[in-house]
Amino acid sequence: MTNIDTKCVQGVYNPTNGEPRVMPIVQSTTFKYGSSDEMGKLFDLEAEGYFYTRLQNPTNDLVAGKIAELEGGVAGMLTASGMSAIFMAVFNICETGGHIVSTNAIYGGTYNLFGTTFKKMGIDCTFIDADSTEEEIQAAIKPNTKLIFGETLSNPGLVVLDIEKYARVAHKNGIPLMIDNTFATPVNCRTFEFGADIVVHSTTKYMDGHAVALGGAIVDSGNFDWEAHADKFPGLTTPDESYHGITYTKKFGKLAYITKATVQLMRDLGPMQSPQNAFYLNLGLESLHVRMPKHCENAKKVAEFLESNDKVAWVNCPMLKSNKYYDLAQKYMPNGTCGVIAFGLKCTREETKKFMDSLKLCAIVTHVADARTCVLHPASHTHRQMTDEQLIEAGVGPDLIRFSCGIEEADDIINDIKQALENM
């Protein structure tokens, strides 16, 4: 099974005679064993199996395995949300006294996590321009830097990250490159092929695709050599006394990173995705390869319409040849970026709100990247805690409208925008 379309539909789960054709929901918190010794081996990590769903569940593992297969990684895990995936992925290798480098063109929630919450935990972050040169990226790295973080397509600014450039700098310094691939999905960009080491997702978005199941995912490429940089990552390369002195890299090899995140962090922090949500997520994954081209087709048509409209100040869609990121988008996402575009109107903030309030088909929601077209004004909603200066620094101008094209008929979406512009 080599084609990603087939992997979306039938990846990982292969039922045999008499088993459910559809991946089942194992809706149980606990699992029975015949002897204390059998259960004890699971707690000692001496045997594989399930004993409590907070750590692992068969449904979750199958879906995580499918996402890992789509990304081309060695292992994955599901979390309760995209934010918990980012927290777990970073905290798995970066503890108090550590430092991370992140582009500033990232989701507002991630910006707050890195710049505020992690700081309270003794983890520092240096934000850099996503378009930084290799020399500028290098200048931000410190002796205690544990990783570099960026988004394939930034939310909501749609900055396209030069993944190979960031990977070169990261690996030169013996640290991994972590990428949030939520908007592009592995259907449009397989970041491991360009040098990324760890991928995170808000599966709530395109992977679910229907706005029904909150969730996140972490996937490890298995390519980063933790042992070669053992002094930087003691959590993986030195004994874990909470598991009888197990050293993850020695016992689990390429599975060390995900194993530690599962048996240590999920054990202690517990943001597990529910099996019911994992089941819904798998239903979304089965059509991901069909939906993404339609999202991209609609986004390009809407962007072209907006670009030609006199009331529109600017349009940001990397699929447009006029876009500054067009060449990078063609390199990393030749089949299309995603259904999200950004634009600004030639009007005041209040008039921007009136435009949004006049939309009928396109709904004002906090969500993004599902089958239905939706719209958001980040400065008034998701990023409202940030000053105008911070918004501009993060690549989210006060006038920016995030417009997520669904999979409806493109003409209907465009006609809704037309009548809203006329009612401004």
Side-chain angles (χ1 to χ4, degrees):
M1 191 185 302
T2 58
N3 189 283
I4 196 166
D5 293 11
T6 305
K7 291 176 182 178
C8 281
V9 181
Q10 296 207 32
V12 178
Y13 180 60
N14 298 298
T16 57
N17 288 342
E19 292 185 323
R21 182 65 186 91
V22 176
M23 185 188 296
I25 309 170
V26 180
Q27 193 64 42
S28 179
T29 62
T30 191
F31 301 84
K32 179 182 179 296
Y33 286 87
S35 71
S36 295
D37 286 343
E38 287 178 300
M39 179 72 81
K41 288 178 182 178
L42 296 173
F43 278 94
D44 287 342
L45 305 183
E46 295 297 333
E48 293 184 5
Y50 301 95
F51 53 90
Y52 198 57
T53 283
R54 188 179 78 241
L55 276 81
Q56 287 181 287
N57 174 282
T59 305
N60 291 40
D61 281 0
L62 286 168
V63 180
K66 177 181 282 192
I67 295 173
E69 186 173 75
L70 294 176
E71 286 284 7
V74 296
M77 67 181 290
L78 300 185
T79 62
S81 68
M83 287 308 303
S84 60
I86 295 170
F87 176 86
M88 298 274 279
V90 174
F91 197 60
N92 199 35
I93 53 177
C94 189
E95 303 171 2
T96 300
H99 172 255
I100 60 181
V101 173
S102 173
T103 71
N104 58 8
I106 54 175
Y107 169 60
T110 309
Y111 191 95
N112 289 332
L113 172 65
F114 289 175
T116 303
T117 302
F118 271 150
K119 189 172 291 186
K120 294 176 183 177
M121 301 172 68
I123 298 172
D124 196 20
C125 178
T126 298
F127 292 102
I128 60 174
D129 191 293
D131 296 331
S132 294
T133 64
E134 292 193 31
E135 291 73 23
E136 289 168 333
I137 302 169
Q138 181 63 51
I141 294 174
K142 302 177 181 181
N144 61 334
T145 302
K146 305 297 183 181
L147 65 98
I148 297 177
F149 182 92
E151 295 180 357
T152 311
L153 282 162
S154 69
N155 177 10
L158 298 171
V159 172
V160 178
L161 193 73
D162 191 342
I163 301 169
E164 288 185 336
K165 176 175 66 177
Y166 275 83
R168 281 194 299 271
V169 179
H171 298 158
K172 186 173 79 172
N173 289 273
I175 56 177
L177 174 62
M178 185 181 296
I179 296 291
D180 185 331
N181 198 30
T182 296
F183 270 11
T185 81
V187 169
N188 284 346
C189 185
R190 286 162 57 89
T191 65
F192 292 155
E193 295 175 4
F194 300 104
D197 300 290
I198 300 161
V199 163
V200 293
H201 285 277
S202 171
T203 62
T204 318
K205 310 303 189 298
Y206 285 120
M207 284 189 168
D208 162 26
H210 302 86
V212 296
L214 201 66
I218 308 169
V219 179
D220 180 21
S221 68
N223 295 330
F224 191 82
D225 190 344
W226 306 104
E227 285 282 348
H229 311 285
D231 58 322
K232 288 181 179 289
F233 307 103
L236 286 164
T237 61
T238 60
D240 179 357
E241 297 308 319
S242 72
Y243 266 115
H244 312 293
I246 283 174
T247 299
Y248 294 103
T249 50
K250 288 182 169 56
K251 185 172 181 63
F252 299 103
K254 287 183 177 292
L255 302 179
Y257 176 85
I258 291 295
T259 300
K260 177 179 179 293
T262 301
V263 305
Q264 185 191 82
L265 295 190
M266 194 60 80
R267 174 197 65 189
D268 296 345
L269 300 174
M272 170 60 77
Q273 186 171 143
S274 74
Q276 183 81 43
N277 277 15
F279 174 81
Y280 292 143
L281 170 57
N282 184 60
L283 294 181
L285 290 172
E286 289 180 353
S287 65
L288 182 63
H289 63 294
V290 179
R291 289 183 284 108
M292 288 307 294
K294 180 62 174 177
H295 282 294
C296 293
E297 175 189 331
N298 281 357
K300 187 176 181 183
K301 288 180 179 178
V302 170
E304 288 170 344
F305 162 75
L306 290 169
E307 196 171 43
S308 66
N309 191 284
D310 292 339
K311 293 186 177 182
V312 177
W314 57 271
V315 182
N316 187 3
C317 172
M319 291 181 288
L320 295 179
K321 289 185 178 180
S322 59
N323 189 272
K324 66 179 288 188
Y325 297 107
Y326 178 78
D327 289 339
L328 272 181
Q330 288 298 300
K331 175 181 178 179
Y332 293 116
M333 294 161 279
N335 295 322
T337 53
C338 68
V340 182
I341 61 177
F343 63 95
L345 301 177
K346 297 175 183 176
C347 63
T348 65
R349 185 179 291 198
E350 286 304 311
E351 288 172 323
T352 296
K353 290 182 182 178
K354 186 177 179 182
F355 160 77
M356 293 175 59
D357 291 348
S358 298
L359 292 166
K360 298 175 181 178
L361 176 71
C362 312
I364 301 173
V365 298
T366 305
H367 200 240
V368 67
D370 71 42
R372 291 162 293 274
T373 296
C374 52
V375 63
L376 187 80
H377 183 224
S380 301
H381 306 132
T382 54
H383 292 58
R384 67 180 297 119
Q385 294 87 359
M386 299 168 68
T387 65
D388 282 1
E389 291 75 19
Q390 287 175 322
L391 287 168
I392 293 169
E393 182 183 349
V396 186
D399 65 337
L400 184 148
I401 296 171
R402 185 182 72 184
F403 197 88
S404 178
C405 298
I407 55 175
E408 306 94 343
E409 167 56 44
D411 286 344
D412 289 337
I413 301 171
I414 291 170
N415 287 334
D416 192 30
I417 296 172
K418 281 181 181 177
Q419 64 84 23
L421 288 172
E422 290 169 358
N423 288 329
M424 281 175 52

